[in-house]
Amino acid sequence: MPSEKQEEAAVRVLGRWPSPYVIRVLIALNLKGVEHEMVAEPKGNKSELLLASNPVHKKIPVLIHNGRPISESLVILHTSTSAWASQAPAILPSDPHARAAERFWAQYVDDKFPTAIRVLRGRVVGDKEEAAAEVSAALWQLEGAFVECGGGKGYFGSDGVGYLDIALGSHVGWIRAVERINGVSLLDAAKVPRLAAWADRLCAHPAVVDVLPDVDRFIEFSVQNDGALAKPVDEASK
Amino acid sequence: MDHGGEYAPDEKVELLGTWSSPYVFKVIWALTMKGVEYEYVEEDLRNKSGALLSLNPLHKKVPVLVYRGKPVAESDVIVEFIDEAWKDRGGGGRILPEDPYERAMARSWVIFARDVLSPPIWKWFTAPGEEEQEGAREAAVAQLLVLEEELGRKEFFAGDCVGLVDLSLGALAYVIPIYEEITGTRIVTEERLPCLSAWMGRFLSSPPAKDHLPPLEKLKLSFLGERTL
């Protein structure tokens, strides 16, 4: 139908590929089968489009749907649930308690991972051992949540990849990269067996495989962009 | 699923909270909007109950809402839960708007209130010296002006009735006047922020909030304690 096609083409995502928040949006749109155009936001100077679309925060990602901008990755995830509600899969479960659980843990993910990962990338100065311990502890909690959420299909979502899978999964690229950069094991099959298996499963999922590139690309990006601040583990713990 | 009076045991609603927490009040206002009866349990955060520790083992914080035996924690998560679990209840209507884009906008404003507006307000209140205080005050006013524009001529952020954004900002309606009294400086004046100024009074007398406010004198004393730390 011509009008539907027009609507689909009218979905644009402003962002940059290594951002986990951008990755989230792309996974959600892929899951919903929504055609979209990624508009790469240049590093350094903020584009006119970004400043016009997100004047308050000036941050990526921004989803532009029918000319209307929406910011904040988790808000965008929710929007994907409701704006394309008639298209399967449902990103959030229908039961209010189950929805609350996924939202609770997604909030936890965003509290615990971003700063620690930035430290481990060497993007901000910080105690790397402490950061690694924080990530490990958080993953251990999420291992428990995985059992609670009862994703029978091997995901947090009861029907397959869902809101929490996307929220946490979007960090997997960087988690794996900082494992290699720092010589630590975080998504450790011995410590968090379910999550380790889940991470592999998620990365191979059709909606994810093209937007979560290989760990080497993340490492390369980090070396090129974060390298100036990188410190070895023993020096950082002073 | 409409229960007129007493709930069956498995329908019981319990809220664990503390009298001074704005997050707890946000949940109370949401429950009030939906006309949900609940049992309130006051927690002493210096001596947390076994119930709290087992219901919210990760954060050990209030508020926690228990419904059908299952806990829900984190106030923003709880408010959405209330809106969904009692979706057809309450003359106060839906807490979040129906339209997906409007919902996105409401959620974005909640994040704004939390991440952009609250920090300078806290800084203004706790600033050790006059210069820092003035700097933080101006920073806070700059963000309040953004809200002023968003509110415009509407009764509430959500329109004619209280909605999600009003609930998220609601505590400011009683906290800001107390902070102003304690610091001896003004942050919301009728001259600079006429719409917001009027909204504050309107919120405090709105149906969800009017009978559910913390004891303000007691709150002021506890804030005074916080400030000298």
Side-chain angles (χ1 to χ4, degrees), chain B residues 144-194:
Chain B
L144 289 166
L145 284 164
V146 174
L147 274 185
E148 175 84 6
E149 205 185 307
E150 171 59 22
L151 178 62
R153 292 181 175 291
K154 293 182 287 183
E155 290 268 303
F156 297 102
F157 285 89
D160 297 329
C161 301
V162 166
L164 182 73
V165 179
D166 303 279
L167 293 187
S168 294
L169 294 167
L172 292 177
Y174 61 78
V175 167
I176 285 181
I178 299 178
Y179 281 3
E180 288 177 336
E181 220 184 295
I182 293 175
T183 60
T185 58
R186 299 289 307 280
I187 197 172
V188 177
T189 58
E190 271 175 43
E191 294 79 31
R192 266 182 113 173
L193 296 154

Side-chain angles (χ1 to χ4, degrees), chain A residues 21 24-25 61 70-81 92 102-103 105-110 163-164 166-168 170, chain B residues 107 111 114:
Chain A
Y21 308 110
R24 281 178 184 174
V25 175
I70 300 170
S71 328
E72 296 294 331
S73 61
L74 293 181
V75 175
I76 297 171
L77 279 201
H78 272 106
T79 307
S80 309
T81 308
L92 277 166
E102 290 204 30
R103 287 176 176 138
W105 286 109
Q107 216 170 286
Y108 177 75
V109 166
D110 276 356
Y163 182 81
L164 182 54
I166 301 172
L168 179 60
S170 58
Chain B
R107 290 196 171 99
I111 293 174
R114 186 190 71 206

Side-chain angles (χ1 to χ4, degrees), chain A residues 93-107:
Chain A
S94 49
D95 173 64
H97 269 115
R99 288 164 86 99
E102 290 204 30
R103 287 176 176 138
F104 172 87
W105 286 109
Q107 216 170 286

Side-chain angles (χ1 to χ4, degrees), chain A:
Chain A
M1 288 193 67
S3 55
E4 213 180 295
K5 259 196 151 51
Q6 248 173 17
E7 206 175 293
E8 285 179 352
V11 178
R12 289 186 291 169
V13 180
L14 253 69
R16 271 190 299 279
W17 76 266
S19 159
Y21 308 110
V22 172
I23 289 169
R24 281 178 184 174
V25 175
L26 298 175
I27 296 175
L29 293 173
N30 283 347
L31 270 180
K32 286 289 194 180
V34 174
E35 267 181 49
H36 55 275
E37 182 198 335
M38 166 91 163
V39 179
E41 178 64 17
K43 256 174 51 49
N45 296 318
K46 295 184 205 269
S47 72
E48 289 281 322
L49 185 56
L50 177 64
L51 294 174
S53 310
N54 189 2
V56 176
H57 300 285
K58 307 180 180 63
K59 292 200 288 195
I60 54 165
V62 179
L63 176 78
I64 303 178
H65 180 210
N66 291 335
R68 295 193 293 190
I70 300 170
S71 328
E72 296 294 331
S73 61
L74 293 181
V75 175
I76 297 171
L77 279 201
H78 272 106
T79 307
S80 309
T81 308
S82 40
W84 292 286
S86 51
Q87 284 154 244
I91 290 181
L92 277 166
S94 49
D95 173 64
H97 269 115
R99 288 164 86 99
E102 290 204 30
R103 287 176 176 138
F104 172 87
W105 286 109
Q107 216 170 286
Y108 177 75
V109 166
D110 276 356
D111 279 340
K112 292 292 173 186
F113 288 83
T115 308
I117 289 177
R118 273 200 287 274
V119 170
L120 288 165
R121 277 170 67 172
R123 198 168 175 77
V124 299
V125 173
D127 186 325
K128 290 193 176 187
E129 265 180 38
E130 204 178 284
E134 267 194 53
V135 172
S136 284
L139 286 171
W140 189 82
Q141 291 288 351
L142 285 154
E143 175 89 358
F146 189 81
V147 177
E148 257 176 58
C149 288
K153 296 193 176 171
Y155 295 102
F156 286 92
S158 49
D159 241 0
V161 174
Y163 182 81
L164 182 54
D165 294 287
I166 301 172
L168 179 60
S170 58
H171 287 296
V172 166
W174 279 114
I175 292 175
R176 287 194 162 144
V178 300
E179 281 181 324
R180 288 255 294 267
I181 292 170
N182 295 276
V184 294
S185 181
L186 300 168
L187 269 168
D188 189 329
K191 293 187 230 160
V192 286
R194 290 176 188 87
L195 283 191
W198 161 87
D200 288 336
R201 191 177 300 127
L202 186 78
C203 290
H205 189 285
V208 180
V209 71
D210 292 330
V211 299
L212 202 60
D214 215 51
V215 65
D216 292 316
R217 285 202 60 197
F218 283 93
I219 294 175
E220 192 187 315
F221 184 90
S222 184
V223 165
Q224 282 170 6
N225 295 280
D226 306 331
L229 292 170
K231 279 184 178 177
V233 173
D234 49 357
E235 217 180 287
S237 54
K238 282 188 192 147

